[in-house]
Structures are given as C-alpha cells and as structure tokens.
Amino acid sequence: MPITKFCFIILFLWFINGNYSFAAAINVKDNENSQYSLVHIGVVLDLDSPMGSMADLCINMALSDFYLEHPNYRTRLHLRRKDAEGLLNTNIAALELLKRGEVQGILGPQGPTEDKFVAELGGKVHVPVISFTASSALPSAQNRYSVRTIPNDTYQAQALAAICKGYEWPEVVILYEDTDYGYQFLSHLIKAFQEVEIGITYMSSISISSDDNQILKEFNKLKEKQTRVFLVHMNVSLGHRLFVLAKKAGMMTEGYAWIITEYLSNFLNSMDFVARASMEGVLGIRPYVSRSEKLDRFQERWRRNMVTKKSTGSIRDFNVYGLWVYDTVCSLAIAAEKIGPVNSSLLNVNTSKNGTDDTNMKISAFGPKLLSEFSNTKFRGLSGDFQLINGQLKPPAFEIFNVIGTGEKTVGFWTLDRGISRELSSTGEPTYSASTKNLKNVLWPGDSVTRPKGWAIPATGKLRVGVPVKNGFREFVNVTIDSATNFTNATGFSIDIFLATLPWLPFPINYEFYHYNDSNDINWSYDGMLHRIPQMFDMVVGDTTIWAPRANYVDFSLPYSESGVILVVKNKKPFDMWIFIKPLRWDLWLAITLACVLMGIVLRLLEHRVQNTNEESIRPRRERLRMIYWSPIAVLAFPERSMVANSWSIFVLVFWLFMAFILMQSYTANLSAILTVDQLKFAFSEDYYVGYQEGSFMKEFLKEQLHIHESRLKSYSSVEDYHKAMSRGSKRGGIDAIFDEIPYMKIFLKKYDSQYKMVGPTYRTDGFGFAFPAHSPLTSYFSRAILAVTQGPNMTSIERTNFGPGYSSQDPLSSTVSQQTSSLTFYNFGGLFIIVGSVTLFAVFCSETSVGRKFTALTALYSQMCFNFISSKFRSRHNDREESHEFIQDVAGPTSSEGRDVSIFEEPLSRGEEEIYESDQQNDSDSAEVELASINEERNS
C-alpha cells in the first residue's frame, strides 16, 4: 500500500507540472485582463463531436503557448465560447455573440449550412467569420468576411485524379457520404477526373443512418460491375463501418484498389483495431506536416492534456485540422497585436444607416482592421507555412500513404507545381510529373504487390456475351438454344471473329453466351439489345453496326467488317441471244439498212453509163452492174477488188466507207460496255418501295438521312425474303430496291448475281463491331485484338468458312457496282448521215443530169486551163533561168579540163520523155475537143 500511494503521488505531481503552464496562462488571462487591451473572439463549436472536442483543446493550448512566448504583447484575445449542436443552436449562438457588438470575430462553425448563415451575418456587421473544417462553406466574392484557414478542396481532388491517372486506372467508383459536404466535394472530383479523362462509372451515396444490410446490398451491386477502383469520401464513423463490411463482402482481396480522401485519412488514429486491420492495402492522401521539435513537444503536451481534460468528445489524437486551428489562433493574436491597443468605445459605429434592422446589432469598426491584418499574416506554424490566399489557406503538399497492418507507410507526395514525386525537394527547377513509377512499393489489398489493373470480370466469373437470335443472314450469327438446359450456342462469322480475338488478349476470359429475342419477336431491334448492357450483357457480339446514336450509351470496338450502306436494284437488262443488236437502237438499224439500199441504187445509176472499152477491166460490165447492189457491203469485205469504174462512184464510196467505219467502231464500243458494265448511274424514284433488314438501324437511317417516307419502307429478315419481294415488285406488294449494308448485300448478290446490281453512292457507316458498356476497359483490349485478327493470315479462312469460296472483304466494291449502257440511236449519228447523203446526191446530180454534166465539164475545162496557165508560167521562168546561166557561162569561160563546156543546168529531155510529154499534151487537147463537141451536141439537140 505505501508503494501504491507513492506512485499515485508521483503521477499526480507529474500531471500538475505538465499542466502548470496551461493553468497559469489561463489564470493570468482571467485575473489580469485589466493590464491588456482585450479583443473579444466568439467560439462556436459542437464539443460532443470529434472535431469540436479537438478544436476546443487546440484553441486553449494555442492561447497558452502563444502568450507564454510573447509576454510583452499589449493585446490579448478573450474567448467567448458557445457549445452548439445543429443548425438552429449554432445560428442562435452566433446571433447572441454578435448582439451589442460583444465579439470582433467568430471561430468555428463546423457545417456548411451553419457556416453559410453565420458568414452572411458576419458580413453585415463587418465581423470576420473564420472556419477551419473541410465541411465549411467556400468563401465568396460577395462576402469577404468569410475566411477558411484550410486549403480549397479543388487541390485534393486534383491530387486524387493524378494518382488514378498515374496508376493507369481508366475508371473509378466513388463512395461518398450523403451530406451537403459530400455532394460539395463530389463536384470537385467530377471536374478533376474529367480533366484527366478518367471515367466515373458509378457514384454511390451512403447515408450515416444506413444499416449494415443496406451497405452490404450496395457492395453486392458494385461487385457485379467491372470497375475495381473505389474512392471513399466519408467521415470516420461511417468509414469505420464501411471497410469492415467491405472485407466481409470479399472486396478487400487481390485485384481491388481502395483510395480514401483526407476527410477519413486525418482521423485514422481514432479508429479501433478491427477497422484499421480491415483497411490493409488502402491508399490515402492527406496534407503533409513536416516533423519539428516544436511539433513533438506539442504532441507530448497534447497527450497529457487529453488525460486531464474531461470531454465527451471521441477524439483520441490530433490531426492537421487541430494544427490549423492552433495556427489560426496564433495568427489572430499576431493580427490583434499589429492593430495595437484600441479604446473599447471606438470598436463599434452607429448602425442606423448601415443595413441592419436589429437595433441590438452594431457594425464593427475593429473587424475590418482585424480581417486585413489577419489575411496578410505570414509565419511558420505547427502545420507549416501559414499564409492565406483569397480567403483560404495556401495549398499544401499532400502525402500519399499506404495502410499496412495497423500502421502506415509514406510512399510519395503530390504538390501543385511538381505533381507526383517520391520525396519532397525544394532544390532545382520544378518539373511536373504524372507518373507513379517513382513512388515506393505499395502493398495492395490481399497482400498483393501487383498493381491492380482497375477492372475485372464481374463476380459471376464469366463474361456475359449477348448474341442476337435472327431468322436470316445466319452466316454472321447463328444461335441455337437447348430446350432442356436453355444453354445458348452460337456460330457464324461474328462469333468466329470473337473467338479469334481471345488468344490475343493479355488475360484469360471465361465467357458464356446469352441470347436475345428468343421469342422471335418481329419488333425486336439491335438497339433494344444494346440497351440491355450492362444489366443483362457485359458485351454484345454480333453483326452490330457502329452507329453514332448508339455511341451515346455504349462503346464500340474497332470494326471487323466492311463499312457502308448501298442500294441494290433489279437488273432490268439481262443478257440474251439477241444481245448483239442492243448496241444500236431500231431506228439506227433501219437507217443503216435504208442507207445500204439507197447507196446501191445510187451506184447503179452512176455505173450504167460507163462503157466496157478497157480490155484490162476486172469484170465484164453486166457482172459489175449486178455487184453494184451489194457494193456497200462488198466493198468492206473485199477492199482489194475494183467494184466501180465511174469516178463519181469512187467519190461516193469514200464517204460511205468513212461513215461505215465510224458506225463499226461505235457498235464495238457500245457492245463492250454492255458486256462489261451494268449500271453506274441510277435515278432513285420517290415512288419506289424500299426494303431493309428487320431489327436493324436502317429504318431510322432511311427516314432521317435519306428522307424516305415510312409508308414506303418494308422490313425483311433473310436473303430469300429480299428476293421474293424484289421479284414481285411494288405493283404486286413487293419492293423496287433494297437499302442495306455491304456485307449483307454481297451475300445477296453472290446468290442472285445475274438478277441484281448495286447502284448509286455508298453511304458511310463504320461496319460491324463489338459493343461494351460505356467507358469499359475491355473496349481497347478487344480493339487491338480485332486489328491483329483482321490483318492476320486467318481472316481469309474465316470468311471462306462462313461465306464460301469467292467471298472476300478485300475485294474492291467497284467490281460489283455498274452502269447501265443505253443503245445508240439514229439521232446520235444524224450528222454523219446528212454528210454522206449530201455527198451522194451531189454525185448523182453531177453524173446523171445535163446541168450537172455541163457543170462538171466546165469545171474540168477551167481546171485544165488553170493548170496550163500555171505550167506556161513555170516554163517561162525556166527559160529565163537558162538564158541567165548561158550568160554566166560565157563570162566565166570553160571549166572542164578536157576543153568541153560544162553546164550547171539540167540536161535536155531524152527522146522517150519528149514523146511522153507530147502525148500528154495531145491527150489534153483531145479531151478538151471531145468535151466541146459534146457540149455543142447537147445544145443542138
């Protein structure tokens, strides 16, 4: 017993000694107030809350420490405390403190609603309202008397977004406290994550009053999602329950990632052993406070004061909020001392004209001065550099820590100017880093050292792959359902592409097919199937077109098929046994036939006057006249034979051959076009009935983009249905054209190639792709795998397996799109017939009429006279040149070495040449005489 009493006495003396300075300061403040100029400051706190209890003790310690260190200060802060819980009590307490001008500043409204009212009240009476909790309202430009001595939540949201971006997590789920501050902080998070392009797949609000079953139900819902990164923003009491239940739900295992905000991080020391143990592997951030000797002494005195202090609060240890409270009080004391002693009669001014209706409320004259000095105060406090910027604390560095067991390990830091770093360093130029590779190793949930990829297959263990049940085009997707087990099996081109991509994924996937439209409802649609993501399906595999309106609620992989929508119409000009006559129209064929007949008649007229006096003639006259009827054709078949003798006949045949060759070449070109080109230009009629595929997006496409009325649209499900409808035509209840995507139409044309053709332009779509939930990480993995498959060697075999030989997505579309070639008409060659006809008539006129013959004879005579005249002129000039040369020779003398004269002119004509020349002249004169005699004979007759 004596030993027990002795120990009790020693412990009692130690407590007395530890708290002597604190009690002495309080006594000095209470007993010697008359020696100092007092500045009254109101304090409104909820002392039953962890924050209120911690803030109250920190305020007392700050006053004690500060005035012990500065005993010569002439001013003293005098606190007027109000213990208030809830909105109503806080507002009443603030109103009582401001009545009659009792306080020149207010500390501590803790909630955003209370803080907002008190801040507006302080702005009216010019009293600064200073808050130091995260849940306090933001300062506004309209009320400069509202001050927050904590940093803006925007910086914390940016730090959280930078961490998620650094770990390459594509999306997160946010769990937040269902309070005003929770919603307020959520807006900062959404903006920060949007800036770094990280998706927020789900936001779950949890109320403080939620029981464990409600929280577990929410966890079961989250386990069905692919996202495995959870960001938690809630207070310590709710966070304590959340992580215990998360571990119970199996969500604190390998593959999960949990991040907590400073709202929970700053109070981890207040959590019990069970809650801390359940948080192993959690990553958190909080404002960084550098260690110092002064902070160590403060922490030691804090523990001693917590033992002696009788408080109902649940706070066990101080955190950065307590340090900010401590530094705020010190800053207020410094600001009050800078103002200096002030006469109490000058603290307030008359309020009758200053906007306050309550006569008990007075405008403070000291408040603006206190706010100005307080805002400009800078010093090194327990929390670090204390400086206000725009009514808020300067943004600090954030510490990134990892919960390991019941302890913590700092793995790095985040600052506004340097980003993520392993250590804090103030040397060198600041370079921003967004990489987490320099951070220390992190122990993740489940004792894993491997960074979670941020997503996983849902808790069911198998990927739910949706496939459509359809009646037609089963080459793409063919679904069979076991009636006994309801097991779904799928085959086809789209399924083979899906199966081929699985080996290219960097992780294994277990999947199971789930069918859609098992009742074969005619009103089913691909859009309806896509809207079942992610409730029924984790992804959809099938001939699903990548279309812009669908991208509003699902994500698509890269396409694995051809893209485009095209029009198919009936081939109205099939090849037949009479195709050789199609290059020319009937009128042109008739014109050519008549021209041949007329040409034979003309040649018969021209040849009947020719006498067979030439012994070397190829054929006798009678036989030559019989051949004349066939000469327009025979002259083409036997160009080497002389079929005519009259010069006018030869003249006519020259132009006939000119026209014949043009017609032959045009016939050949047009026949080639008919045999190789079907139709390229096509005029779509508004009266056409158009078919489209059942369940596809084509109905909306045709209505919205091509503006085809709905009454002219008909849906079909298979190739056979298309063919039957096109065969009937719109007049018999069918259709005139089909609008569908290229892969479907290539299958259609492959089966009915000679009867249909693609026409018109190709309308842009992006082809077939796999569909995923919005922001799904699977999208990028499958897109890369699709590229590997479609550009690999197995693509051709996949196509041949499903579509048969001859089908290839690499074939150019131009080989199937064609243009109709029209027949040539008489009008197209009208000018040519006019020329040949005119020449023929002219030849008949000149040969068979007296006027024509006279005209021909006179033309020949005048032509001969012109020729003789030109020839005589030439001979005269030739003689002049000979005389000139003789004169030059006489002057120059002989030049030959043999003594003979050598002339530089041409030698005289030989005897044979002279005879030919004389004969030509004689013939010319004889022909002229014959012509003159014939003219005189005609005149006499």
Side-chain angles (χ1 to χ4, degrees):
M1 291 298 294
I3 296 176
T4 304
K5 291 182 179 179
F6 177 77
C7 294
F8 176 77
I9 293 171
I10 294 298
L11 183 62
F12 178 76
L13 293 175
W14 181 69
F15 285 147
I16 294 297
N17 182 54
N19 291 281
Y20 172 75
S21 59
F22 172 72
I26 298 299
N27 292 332
V28 168
K29 182 178 66 174
D30 293 338
N31 298 329
E32 299 180 2
N33 285 340
S34 59
Q35 300 178 9
Y36 306 104
S37 177
L38 300 180
V39 178
H40 299 284
I41 301 296
V43 178
V44 181
L45 296 172
D46 180 8
L47 297 180
D48 291 332
S49 65
M51 185 63 199
S53 176
M54 178 184 65
D56 182 61
L57 184 55
C58 289
I59 290 173
N60 293 333
M61 294 181 66
L63 288 176
S64 172
D65 294 345
F66 184 81
Y67 287 121
L68 283 177
E69 293 178 6
H70 305 87
N72 57 338
Y73 272 26
R74 298 167 297 171
T75 58
R76 290 289 186 272
L77 296 181
H78 185 261
L79 303 181
R80 296 181 179 270
R81 290 181 172 82
K82 292 288 185 179
D83 182 8
E85 178 181 1
L87 172 63
L88 181 60
N89 293 332
T90 300
N91 293 339
I92 294 175
L95 190 61
E96 291 177 354
L97 290 172
L98 291 173
K99 280 186 177 181
R100 305 179 184 275
E102 291 184 356
V103 295
Q104 306 303 322
I106 294 180
L107 288 173
Q110 296 175 225
T113 308
E114 302 94 323
D115 186 39
K116 183 177 180 181
F117 174 80
V118 177
E120 292 180 357
L121 195 59
K124 286 190 175 183
V125 296
H126 296 178
V127 171
V129 177
I130 303 168
S131 59
F132 36 74
T133 61
S135 60
S136 58
L138 292 171
S140 60
Q142 293 78 13
N143 186 8
R144 65 186 185 94
Y145 288 93
S146 176
V147 181
R148 283 182 54 174
T149 56
I150 61 172
N152 196 326
D153 286 334
T154 301
Y155 306 116
Q156 182 188 182
Q158 291 176 359
L160 293 168
I163 293 172
C164 294
K165 185 70 174 180
Y167 281 115
E168 300 179 354
W169 292 326
E171 54 191 11
V172 298
V173 172
I174 298 178
L175 304 171
Y176 63 97
E177 179 184 311
D178 189 13
T179 59
D180 292 337
Y181 176 57
Y183 289 105
Q184 177 183 323
F185 186 73
L186 185 63
S187 62
H188 296 296
L189 281 177
I190 294 174
K191 182 178 180 180
F193 280 102
Q194 286 177 346
E195 291 176 353
V196 296
E197 298 180 350
I198 293 179
I200 300 176
T201 57
Y202 190 72
M203 294 179 289
S204 177
S205 62
I206 299 178
S207 174
I208 299 176
S209 60
S210 298
D211 56 27
D212 293 352
N213 291 330
Q214 291 175 328
I215 298 177
L216 285 173
K217 184 178 180 180
E218 187 70 14
F219 280 154
N220 292 331
K221 185 190 302 183
L222 296 176
K223 287 171 64 177
E224 297 178 356
K225 300 183 179 298
Q226 295 181 355
T227 308
R228 289 295 180 262
V229 180
F230 302 95
L231 192 151
V232 179
H233 177 73
M234 53 188 58
N235 61 36
V236 61
S237 61
L238 186 58
H240 172 282
R241 298 169 52 207
L242 182 85
F243 282 99
V244 172
L245 295 174
K247 186 174 183 178
K248 182 179 179 180
M251 299 177 66
M252 298 299 298
T253 57
E254 184 176 0
Y256 286 88
W258 292 83
I259 308 175
I260 58 176
T261 66
E262 69 172 58
Y263 194 27
L264 181 56
S265 299
N266 288 323
F267 295 96
L268 287 183
N269 292 332
S270 301
M271 300 178 70
D272 58 23
F273 175 81
V274 175
R276 288 294 297 269
S278 64
M279 294 180 64
E280 185 169 24
V282 171
L283 208 63
I285 68 168
R286 60 190 170 203
Y288 173 69
V289 178
S290 60
R291 305 302 302 181
S292 64
E293 184 179 353
K294 184 178 180 181
L295 181 59
D296 292 338
R297 292 198 303 269
F298 174 81
Q299 187 173 6
E300 183 181 350
R301 290 186 292 109
W302 167 273
R303 295 192 184 99
R304 294 200 304 264
N305 290 333
M306 283 299 298
V307 175
T308 58
K309 186 178 186 309
K310 294 181 179 180
S311 173
T312 58
S314 60
I315 196 69
R316 296 184 179 183
D317 201 356
F318 72 93
N319 54 41
V320 68
Y321 289 111
L323 300 181
W324 285 332
V325 172
Y326 186 97
D327 291 341
T328 298
V329 174
C330 294
S331 179
L332 273 175
I334 294 173
E337 182 64 23
K338 289 180 179 179
I339 298 174
V342 179
N343 191 338
S344 59
S345 62
L346 300 177
L347 291 178
N348 300 297
V349 297
N350 188 6
T351 64
S352 59
K353 297 181 180 180
N354 287 281
T356 55
D357 300 329
D358 193 342
T359 57
N360 293 327
M361 302 283 290
K362 296 183 179 180
I363 302 297
S364 173
F366 186 81
K369 297 179 181 179
L370 181 63
L371 176 65
S372 176
E373 293 295 338
F374 178 68
S375 300
N376 294 325
T377 300
K378 301 178 184 179
F379 71 100
R380 181 74 178 178
L382 290 180
S383 61
D385 293 331
F386 187 91
Q387 179 184 355
L388 297 180
I389 299 177
N390 296 327
Q392 299 181 82
L393 190 64
K394 177 183 177 181
F398 283 91
E399 174 189 8
I400 306 172
F401 67 93
N402 182 208
V403 178
I404 301 177
T406 58
E408 302 163 7
K409 182 182 79 170
T410 301
V411 297
F413 301 90
W414 181 90
T415 56
L416 186 62
D417 54 347
R418 294 178 180 270
I420 299 174
S421 59
R422 186 186 182 97
E423 301 289 345
L424 283 179
S425 176
S426 59
T427 60
E429 294 293 330
T431 57
Y432 192 88
S433 174
S435 175
T436 57
K437 294 181 180 179
N438 294 328
L439 295 179
K440 298 177 183 178
N441 294 330
V442 176
L443 181 67
W444 302 100
D447 294 331
S448 174
V449 295
T450 303
R451 176 187 62 84
K453 60 179 178 289
W455 63 274
I457 303 302
T460 56
K462 290 186 178 181
L463 193 69
R464 300 171 300 172
V465 180
V467 289
V469 177
K470 48 193 303 185
N471 294 325
F473 295 102
R474 295 184 178 180
E475 294 88 348
F476 292 95
V477 180
N478 185 19
V479 178
T480 57
I481 304 172
D482 191 336
S483 57
T485 62
N486 201 32
F487 177 78
T488 302
N489 186 35
T491 58
F493 175 70
S494 300
I495 305 302
D496 288 346
I497 293 292
F498 167 72
L499 298 177
T501 59
L502 297 182
W504 291 95
L505 299 177
F507 44 82
I509 280 186
N510 294 323
Y511 66 91
E512 184 175 353
F513 290 122
Y514 288 79
H515 57 267
Y516 178 76
N517 187 34
D518 57 343
S519 61
N520 293 325
D521 184 7
I522 60 173
N523 295 321
W524 82 281
S525 67
Y526 283 89
D527 290 333
M529 180 173 60
L530 295 179
H531 277 295
R532 303 295 180 94
I533 300 175
Q535 290 78 17
M536 289 181 58
F537 313 125
D538 298 316
M539 65 179 294
V540 166
V541 172
D543 46 345
T544 309
T545 304
I546 303 172
W547 195 34
R550 295 173 176 174
N552 294 326
Y553 51 89
V554 294
D555 282 349
F556 287 100
S557 67
L558 290 177
Y560 60 86
S561 72
E562 300 154 289
S563 61
V565 173
I566 202 162
L567 175 65
V568 172
V569 295
K570 187 181 295 185
N571 188 356
K572 296 181 179 180
K573 294 183 179 289
F575 298 159
D576 54 25
M577 60 185 296
W578 299 102
I579 192 171
F580 69 93
I581 69 173
K582 295 184 182 297
L584 307 181
R585 207 172 70 174
W586 65 270
D587 56 347
L588 184 55
W589 283 115
L590 180 61
I592 294 173
T593 304
L594 293 176
C596 289
V597 173
L598 293 175
M599 189 63 63
I601 296 173
V602 169
L603 293 177
R604 175 69 179 82
L605 291 174
L606 295 176
E607 290 294 316
H608 82 283
R609 291 179 177 275
V610 177
Q611 300 297 324
N612 189 16
T613 60
N614 188 358
E615 295 179 356
E616 298 179 354
S617 176
I618 297 176
R619 295 178 183 273
R621 184 172 183 272
R622 181 180 297 276
E623 184 178 354
R624 191 168 64 248
L625 290 177
R626 281 199 308 268
M627 290 296 297
I628 285 174
Y629 293 106
W630 300 100
S631 61
I633 306 300
V635 75
L636 299 176
F638 309 103
E640 73 279 0
R641 298 191 179 186
S642 298
M643 306 267 180
V644 295
N646 192 350
S647 59
W648 286 109
S649 299
I650 296 173
F651 179 73
V652 171
L653 282 177
V654 168
F655 282 90
W656 162 252
L657 289 175
F658 174 72
M659 182 184 75
F661 277 115
I662 292 178
L663 289 172
M664 289 170 59
Q665 295 299 322
S666 301
Y667 175 87
T668 303
N670 207 29
L671 181 60
S672 300
I674 291 175
L675 295 175
T676 57
V677 181
D678 295 330
Q679 187 171 351
L680 187 60
K681 294 181 180 179
F682 177 80
F684 184 81
S685 174
E686 294 182 355
D687 297 330
Y688 277 6
Y689 280 84
V690 178
Y692 66 93
Q693 189 176 167
E694 180 181 281
S696 70
F697 74 103
M698 288 305 306
K699 183 177 182 179
E700 289 74 17
F701 178 85
L702 295 174
K703 289 167 53 180
E704 297 174 4
Q705 297 194 24
L706 300 185
H707 307 291
I708 300 177
H709 196 270
E710 186 175 359
S711 61
R712 298 194 173 272
L713 300 179
K714 297 183 179 181
S715 64
Y716 301 94
S717 61
S718 65
V719 170
E720 293 75 17
D721 291 344
Y722 274 149
H723 176 62
K724 292 178 182 178
M726 290 286 283
S727 301
R728 291 195 303 268
S730 59
K731 293 182 180 180
R732 292 185 296 171
I735 54 177
D736 303 297
I738 304 171
F739 262 110
D740 213 332
E741 296 182 84
I742 292 176
Y744 300 125
M745 292 296 94
K746 290 183 75 172
I747 296 176
F748 178 73
L749 291 178
K750 183 181 177 183
K751 187 171 183 179
Y752 307 103
D753 184 33
S754 62
Q755 303 181 45
Y756 304 97
K757 49 185 165 282
M758 293 183 181
V759 296
T762 301
Y763 299 91
R764 178 67 184 270
T765 60
D766 286 336
F768 299 155
F770 301 155
F772 303 89
H775 310 295
S776 173
L778 288 174
T779 306
S780 59
Y781 289 105
F782 271 96
S783 294
R784 287 189 286 267
I786 286 174
L787 283 179
V789 172
T790 55
Q791 298 178 8
N794 296 329
M795 187 63 181
T796 302
S797 63
I798 294 176
E799 291 177 340
R800 290 179 179 175
T801 301
N802 294 280
F803 305 123
Y807 182 98
S808 176
S809 59
Q810 307 301 322
D811 287 343
L813 185 61
S814 58
S815 63
T816 58
V817 180
S818 54
Q819 174 182 4
Q820 178 184 359
T821 304
S822 58
S823 301
L824 297 175
T825 65
F826 171 77
Y827 178 80
N828 301 132
F829 295 93
L832 187 60
F833 278 97
I834 290 174
I835 294 174
V836 175
S838 300
V839 170
T840 303
L841 291 176
F842 178 74
V844 172
F845 171 78
C846 293
S847 176
E848 301 302 322
T849 62
S850 59
V851 176
R853 287 194 294 270
K854 292 177 183 179
F855 175 76
T856 304
L858 290 175
T859 303
L861 178 61
Y862 288 141
S863 299
Q864 183 65 35
M865 293 174 62
C866 291
F867 176 76
N868 293 334
F869 177 76
I870 294 173
S871 298
S872 64
K873 288 291 185 180
F874 176 76
R875 285 194 295 270
S876 65
R877 291 182 181 179
H878 184 69
N879 294 332
D880 291 341
R881 291 176 64 187
E882 287 181 347
E883 293 176 359
S884 174
H885 281 287
E886 290 176 357
F887 174 78
I888 294 172
Q889 184 176 5
D890 292 339
V891 175
T895 60
S896 173
S897 62
E898 298 179 357
R900 294 185 292 123
D901 294 338
V902 180
S903 177
I904 63 175
F905 300 103
E906 297 179 354
E907 295 182 358
L909 297 173
S910 63
R911 182 177 180 83
E913 291 174 346
E914 289 178 353
E915 292 177 356
I916 294 172
Y917 179 74
E918 291 175 357
S919 176
D920 291 341
Q921 288 185 342
Q922 183 66 33
N923 292 334
D924 293 340
S925 62
D926 293 342
S927 62
E929 291 175 358
V930 171
E931 292 292 338
L932 289 174
S934 63
I935 293 173
N936 293 329
E937 182 181 355
E938 290 177 359
R939 288 178 179 177
N940 294 330
S941 62

